[in-house]
């Protein structure tokens, strides 16, 4: 609930778009502790947070986005964590899952070269081959381009542009022929 999309989802909850809509966030720190304690502990944590709901959507708006993070951290955050939560709750037929990735994961060469994109590609491949969840319409993987809103991250395109402007340096990049789409976090949350 502290990232761009998670924060926007919390704002939607406070605005109360619908009286039937309630957004609850799970603390990444708390979830990591329960995940390390095993699937039963993880399930108890989820049950405590979702009580009394038996039908709900889990939106995985968490994850490390820095391609400079270690491969181990990216895999834990972006692959193992969401899959562990799915596996801990998959027996509850009223639970649906939305994971968020990047359009870049569809480009093999880019996914091979970028650890962040590789982690999102692995998540989507593993989730989307789960025929039981996909066939029942319980899981979807959303591939976004560039999400903005809130404080820009220095390692991302917008953060690099801002640093270049602030420092008065020439912004070095490719020829600029590629397509860039920007999604505001509040639009995605809505």
């Amino acid at each position: 609930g502290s990232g761009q999309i998670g924060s926007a989802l919390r704002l939607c909850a406070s605005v109360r778009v619908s009286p039937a809509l309630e957004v609850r966030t799970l603390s990444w720190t708390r979830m990591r502790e329960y995940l390390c304690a095993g699937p039963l502990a993880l399930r108890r944590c989820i049950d405590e947070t979702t009580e009394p709901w038996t039908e709900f959507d889990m939106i995985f708006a968490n994850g490390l986005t820095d391609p400079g993070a270690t491969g181990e951290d990216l895999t834990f955050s972006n692959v193992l964590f969401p899959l562990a939560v799915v596996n801990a709750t998959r027996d509850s037929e009223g639970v649906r899952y939305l994971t968020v990735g990047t359009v870049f994961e569809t480009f093999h060469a880019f996914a091979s070269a970028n650890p962040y994109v590789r982690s999102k590609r692995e998540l989507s491949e593993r989730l989307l081959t789960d025929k039981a969840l996909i066939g029942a319409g319980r899981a979807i993987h959303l591939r976004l381009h560039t999400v903005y809103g809130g404080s820009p991250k220095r390692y991302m395109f917008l953060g690099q542009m801002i640093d270049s402007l602030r420092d008065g340096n020439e912004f070095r990049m490719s020829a600029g022929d590629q397509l860039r789409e920007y999604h505001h976090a509040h639009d995605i949350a809505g």
Side-chain angles (χ1 to χ4, degrees), residues 6-183:
S7 296
L9 285 167
R10 283 187 309 146
L11 180 63
C12 280
S14 68
V15 172
R16 290 284 180 177
V17 175
S18 161
L21 175 68
E22 183 175 345
V23 175
R24 297 180 184 178
T25 60
L26 297 170
S27 157
W28 167 246
T29 305
R30 184 173 178 220
M31 291 300 290
R32 186 177 182 126
E33 289 171 11
Y34 280 93
L35 178 59
C36 292
L40 293 177
L42 181 61
R43 180 58 195 246
R44 275 194 308 275
C45 174
I46 294 166
D47 287 346
E48 289 170 9
T49 305
T50 58
E51 175 96 27
W53 301 98
T54 57
E55 293 186 0
F56 53 90
D57 298 330
M58 295 193 88
I59 302 170
F60 294 91
N62 72 302
L64 294 176
T65 56
D66 186 352
T70 69
E72 182 179 309
D73 286 344
L74 286 164
T75 298
F76 184 85
S77 171
N78 299 344
V79 182
L80 300 179
F81 169 70
L83 292 177
V85 171
V86 168
N87 287 331
T89 56
R90 71 181 303 123
D91 62 327
S92 300
E93 293 180 9
V95 182
R96 298 184 307 177
Y97 310 96
L98 173 91
T99 56
V100 179
T102 171
V103 295
F104 289 119
E105 69 194 58
T106 62
F107 300 99
H108 180 70
F110 198 85
S112 297
N114 184 302
Y116 162 70
V117 176
R118 184 171 41 250
S119 71
K120 290 299 187 172
R121 181 182 182 124
E122 182 180 349
L123 171 63
S124 69
E125 287 174 346
R126 291 177 65 178
L127 184 68
L128 298 178
T129 56
D130 189 327
K131 296 192 185 318
L133 291 178
I134 299 300
R138 292 182 54 202
I140 190 168
H141 183 75
L142 180 63
R143 292 184 178 111
L144 300 176
H145 208 294
T146 304
V147 176
Y148 71 99
S151 299
K153 296 174 182 159
R154 297 188 76 183
Y155 57 84
M156 294 184 79
F157 187 72
L158 290 174
Q160 293 170 6
M161 286 177 36
I162 290 168
D163 283 351
S164 179
L165 289 168
R166 185 186 56 239
D167 298 341
N169 296 329
E170 181 179 349
F171 182 65
R172 300 203 181 272
M173 58 177 276
S174 68
D177 296 333
Q178 67 271 39
L179 174 67
R180 285 225 178 247
E181 294 180 2
Y182 292 90
H183 308 277

